[in-house]
Amino acid sequence: DYAGHRRFLELDNGASAGWRHTFGEGHELSADLVYNDDLARNHLLETTTPILNVAPRPLELIHDDASEHHGEVRLAYTQKVWGGSLKVGYELRHEDNEYNYADFQGPTLDALVRVPGLDNRFVFHQSANALYATWQRGFGDLDVQAGLRAEDVRWDLAQLTSGERDNQHYERAYPSLHLGYKLDDDRKLSASYSVRVQRPPVVFLNPLIYIEGPTEAQVGNASLKVKEVQIYDVGYTQRIGDQNLQADVYFRNAHHDFSVVMTDIGGGRFLGTYGNLGTSQAAGVDFTANGKLTSTLSYNLTISPYWYRLSGTGNTGAVIGNRSLTSSTERGTLTWQATKNDSLQLNLVVNGAHIQPQGEIRQGALLNAGWRHKIDDRTSLTLTGQDLTASDRFQRDLESPVLMEHLMVRPVSRQVILRLDYRFGGGGAKAAKDPGFEYENGGATPGPGGR
């Protein structure tokens, strides 16, 4: 049995600047700078009472702090060549992050003492240089866009508590091809192939054991490879009056997907270790419809049934074999323009289930709502309520040779947010797009293959 309280503070800051020069139609040069920093302070005070022992364990105070800094430099040049439009560019993305975990224990709040053996402090630096080129041209009713992106990535992790240092350097090239064919003014076919990459989160790389609570800990793996996904997609779009209908059929083949495997380390504690899966495959259809029901009432509906399979053996040592699952994710949005300056929105999301190497994440649902008032052409006020019915829950069933666990956390993200937006700028302020409704729970959970 657990009892305690949590204090969480997060400060997010960002700045961006851009420059653009137009030489002529379809011929321009642009430069952009972006900087963001996120400071998080997560302090948790708790006590544990074992079921078979009425005497509670000492108090435990956990400090889990992070300082993350992200910067980008982007250069792009566009020119008309070979009967189409060629765009070439360079991007630099740099991360400079520090993470500091500390644990304090004692019989009372005034007698808490730091436990040096549980310290976990490390810094992470990553730089990704990328060159890319895309060429687009129309051949009558057929549009063709081909691209190639080459990346050079280097990262370094310094574990300040243990003294260990790890790093990786890798180069990758990612091609893409997109085709669009216009059947008539209301119907269109599309097909595409692309390769996407997902880098492991920093916590997955930290080689020192990280204490998550009285019974669980995790340890990262600095040898993790990046996840690469090959994506094949065929789509059909049709417009009927004020309604837009779309169906996209996709197949995704992923290599080196990230996984966590639980092992028993004795003393009633379990250790989660990270590794790369062999392969995973996902196939599904996204059915989307959106449009206007009346002059002031609009909707957006998406139904996404999918099939997902894990196969092979990951470098965690877990024998996965072949496991598969069929599920679906749905989301719907209803927006009412009540007045010229006021709009209301309801947002419903049903998240599909997802299998893991040792278990399954179950399906969940949530309801969001928002109201936005336009004060003037530059200023707007937005009020959003997330998970109004407190039905958003995280459910995980873990099945392994050493641990059977059913975990439920609810509600995950129930909150009310009031936001004031003011757009700076010159004469273009009136033409700027009004800020939309944003829910921090992100709507639907990404499906298999990163969808």
Side-chain angles (χ1 to χ4, degrees), residues 257-328:
D257 204 349
F258 312 127
S259 62
V260 59
V261 175
M262 301 296 294
T263 56
D264 188 352
I265 57 176
R269 290 179 177 263
F270 299 89
L271 179 66
T273 57
Y274 293 96
N276 293 112
L277 293 175
T279 60
S280 66
Q281 293 80 36
V285 185
D286 290 334
F287 297 103
T288 302
N290 63 75
K292 284 185 171 292
L293 299 175
T294 69
S295 60
T296 60
L297 192 63
S298 60
Y299 76 98
N300 192 308
L301 177 66
T302 300
I303 302 175
S304 305
Y306 58 84
W307 165 85
Y308 183 53
R309 182 179 70 176
L310 301 176
S311 59
T313 302
N315 61 12
T316 56
V319 180
I320 299 168
N322 292 322
R323 300 181 58 208
S324 62
L325 169 145
T326 301
S327 186
S328 178

Side-chain angles (χ1 to χ4, degrees), residues 385-396:
Q386 301 183 170
D387 190 21
L388 299 181
T389 58
S391 57
D392 183 22
R393 63 190 67 179
F394 176 83
Q395 300 180 82
R396 185 187 70 191

Side-chain angles (χ1 to χ4, degrees), residues 366-378:
L366 59 96
L367 178 66
N368 303 316
W371 165 72
R372 185 176 70 242
H373 176 70
K374 182 179 179 181
I375 300 174
D376 54 38
D377 289 331
R378 297 177 182 270

Side-chain angles (χ1 to χ4, degrees), residues 336-384:
W336 177 38
Q337 191 68 42
T339 69
K340 178 182 178 181
N341 296 322
D342 295 275
S343 57
L344 300 169
Q345 185 181 95
L346 284 178
N347 172 256
L348 175 65
V349 178
V350 179
N351 296 321
H354 190 71
I355 55 175
Q356 297 182 316
Q358 291 181 325
E360 178 178 326
I361 297 177
R362 293 188 181 184
Q363 198 168 26
L366 59 96
L367 178 66
N368 303 316
W371 165 72
R372 185 176 70 242
H373 176 70
K374 182 179 179 181
I375 300 174
D376 54 38
D377 289 331
R378 297 177 182 270
T379 314
S380 63
L381 187 68
T382 304
L383 177 68
T384 56

Side-chain angles (χ1 to χ4, degrees), residues 1 3 38 47 75 79 86 149 154 206 215 221 226 255 319 321 381 386 404 423:
D1 183 30
D38 304 305
T47 184
L75 301 173
Q79 172 69 294
L86 175 67
R149 181 183 179 90
R154 302 169 184 263
N206 180 21
T215 61
N221 179 1
V226 297
H255 298 271
V319 180
L381 187 68
Q386 301 183 170
M404 302 286 289
R423 295 189 297 274

Side-chain angles (χ1 to χ4, degrees), residues 328-339:
S328 178
T329 291
E330 299 86 25
R331 75 177 78 183
T333 299
L334 192 64
T335 305
W336 177 38
Q337 191 68 42
T339 69

